[in-house]
């Protein structure tokens, strides 16, 4: 076998190195990652604007007059006359109905006699040097009881003439002439009252008068919203079917809730500003109460 000379071995080694280097370069060219193209950043100028950022609470409720009077004769008796019809407009002090006063007059006379007798008994004891403290205390208690019964009898007699405590419209008449009625108390609600009228109270009222010039929305909210609501907060009320929100003010926030299905709701009332048209008793509406309002650049 022919042996290579030393110069031949060096040349062969160089050729091998060149071939390996070329192969490696070719592999690197094929497998190297693609070059990332660097793009220059761009800047966009936007005009800053002032915007009002609001936190709100929304609810749905029922529209009702702000003032409503649920009227009854205070004493049981016979209806003598009914002077109004459903839908009549009435003024404060207008006579709505009357009651027969025969038995009521007699009750006043009897109560007056009892009160006079109790006063006389007390005077006799006061003039007696032998009257004991217990006797005087008993006589004073009897006089106080007799005077209270006299006041009640006089109120029943005065209430036999039922009058309207507000300007309004007659919304309910449950009286008929010559029929007997059971005495009950009357209730008048208003913007400054927190009296809750139940359906049974409304149905049992002998005459109902409502003020249709001032309105409110009766709604409910959840416990999560209760803590952020405060009386006097600005709000809007949008009656169902309308696209126009009406300005309103949060008037009351109830702290006693009702539970249904494991969730509690709390009553709120909102007073609608002015006397806008198109509002009806029992209609529905949506309200948005503004909890906070901040002017910010956006």
């Amino acid at each position: 076998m022919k042996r290579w000379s030393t110069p031949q071995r060096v040349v062969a080694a160089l050729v091998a190195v060149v071939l390996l280097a070329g192969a490696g370069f070719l592999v690197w060219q094929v497998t190297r990652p693609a070059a990332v193209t660097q793009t220059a950043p761009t800047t966009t100028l936007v005009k800053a604007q002032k915007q009002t950022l609001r936190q709100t609470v929304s609810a749905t409720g029922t529209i009702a007059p702000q003032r409503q009077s649920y009227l009854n004769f205070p004493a049981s008796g016979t209806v003598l006359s009914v002077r109004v019809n459903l839908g009549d407009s009435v003024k404060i002090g207008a006579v709505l109905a009357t009651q027969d006063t025969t038995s009521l007059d007699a009750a006043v006379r009897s109560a007056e006699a009892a009160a006079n007798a109790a006063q006389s008994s007390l005077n006799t004891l006061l003039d007696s040097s032998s009257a004991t403290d217990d006797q005087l205390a008993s006589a004073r208690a009897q006089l106080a009881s007799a005077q209270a019964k006299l006041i009640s009898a006089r109120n029943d007699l005065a209430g036999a003439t039922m009058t309207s405590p507000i300007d309004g419209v007659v919304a309910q008449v449950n009286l008929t002439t010559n029929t007997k009625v059971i005495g009950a108390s009357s209730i008048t609600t208003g913007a400054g009252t927190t009296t809750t009228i139940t359906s049974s109270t409304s149905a049992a009222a002998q005459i109902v008068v409502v003020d249709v010039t001032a309105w409110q929305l009766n709604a409910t909210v959840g416990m999560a919203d209760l803590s952020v609501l405060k009386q006097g907060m600005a709000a809007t009320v949008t009656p169902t079917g309308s696209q126009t929100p009406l300005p309103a003010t949060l008037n009351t926030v109830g702290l006693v809730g009702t539970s249904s299905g494991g969730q509690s709701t709390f009553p709120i009332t909102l007073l609608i500003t002015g006397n806008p048209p198109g509002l009806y008793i029992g209609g529905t509406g949506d309200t948005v109460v503004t909890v906070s309002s901040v002017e910010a650049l956006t």
Side-chain angles (χ1 to χ4, degrees):
M1 176 181 294
K2 182 179 178 181
R3 290 181 170 273
W4 286 7
S5 62
T6 299
Q8 288 176 326
R9 290 193 186 96
V10 172
V11 172
L14 290 175
V15 171
V17 170
V18 171
L19 290 175
L20 288 173
F25 178 76
L26 179 61
V27 171
W28 175 78
Q29 285 282 13
V30 173
T31 60
R32 69 172 180 170
V36 178
T37 303
Q38 298 291 334
T39 58
T42 59
T43 302
T44 302
L45 296 179
V46 179
K47 182 179 180 181
Q49 296 179 340
K50 277 190 176 182
Q51 184 176 356
T52 303
L53 304 179
R54 291 184 175 90
Q55 178 188 359
T56 61
V57 171
S58 299
T60 299
T62 304
I63 295 172
Q66 288 183 20
R67 294 195 299 166
Q68 307 174 69
S69 292
Y70 300 86
L71 305 174
N72 297 285
F73 289 118
S76 300
T78 303
V79 179
L80 187 64
S81 67
V82 180
R83 302 189 184 183
V84 292
N85 296 306
L86 193 66
D88 287 351
S89 296
V90 295
K91 295 291 186 180
I92 293 178
V95 176
L96 307 177
T98 61
Q99 193 177 29
D100 182 73
T101 62
T102 302
S103 61
L104 298 176
D105 286 329
V108 170
R109 291 193 297 270
S110 176
E112 287 175 340
N116 291 334
Q119 182 66 66
S120 178
S121 296
L122 177 60
N123 291 340
T124 299
L125 288 173
L126 290 173
D127 293 337
S128 173
S129 59
S130 61
T132 65
D133 290 342
D134 288 343
Q135 289 175 324
L136 289 172
S138 176
R140 289 190 176 96
Q142 290 176 357
L143 176 60
S145 176
Q147 289 175 336
K149 291 179 180 179
L150 176 58
I151 292 173
S152 178
R154 287 173 174 171
N155 289 339
D156 289 345
L157 179 59
T161 300
M162 184 188 295
T163 59
S164 177
I166 62 173
D167 292 343
V169 175
V170 177
Q172 183 175 301
V173 178
N174 290 329
L175 289 177
T176 304
T177 304
N178 296 325
T179 59
K180 293 186 178 297
V181 294
I182 298 175
S185 59
S186 298
I187 300 174
T188 296
T189 67
T193 64
T194 58
T195 303
T196 300
I197 302 299
T198 64
S199 58
S200 59
T201 299
S202 176
Q206 294 163 2
I207 292 181
V208 177
V209 178
V210 300
D211 180 1
V212 294
T213 65
W215 300 88
Q216 69 183 35
L217 185 78
N218 301 321
T220 58
V221 296
M223 186 181 296
D225 296 324
L226 193 65
S227 61
V228 298
L229 294 176
K230 305 295 180 184
Q231 185 181 26
M233 286 181 169
T236 59
V237 171
T238 305
T240 301
S242 172
Q243 302 298 321
T244 305
L246 305 174
T249 303
L250 182 60
N251 183 50
T252 62
V253 181
L255 299 180
V256 179
T258 57
S259 180
S260 177
Q263 294 184 342
S264 297
T265 57
F266 298 82
I268 62 172
T269 61
L270 300 104
L271 304 185
I272 300 174
T273 303
N275 182 22
L279 299 182
Y280 302 96
I281 300 173
T284 58
D286 299 321
T287 183
V288 177
V289 182
T290 300
V291 175
S292 63
S293 179
V294 178
E295 291 285 341
L297 285 177
T298 60

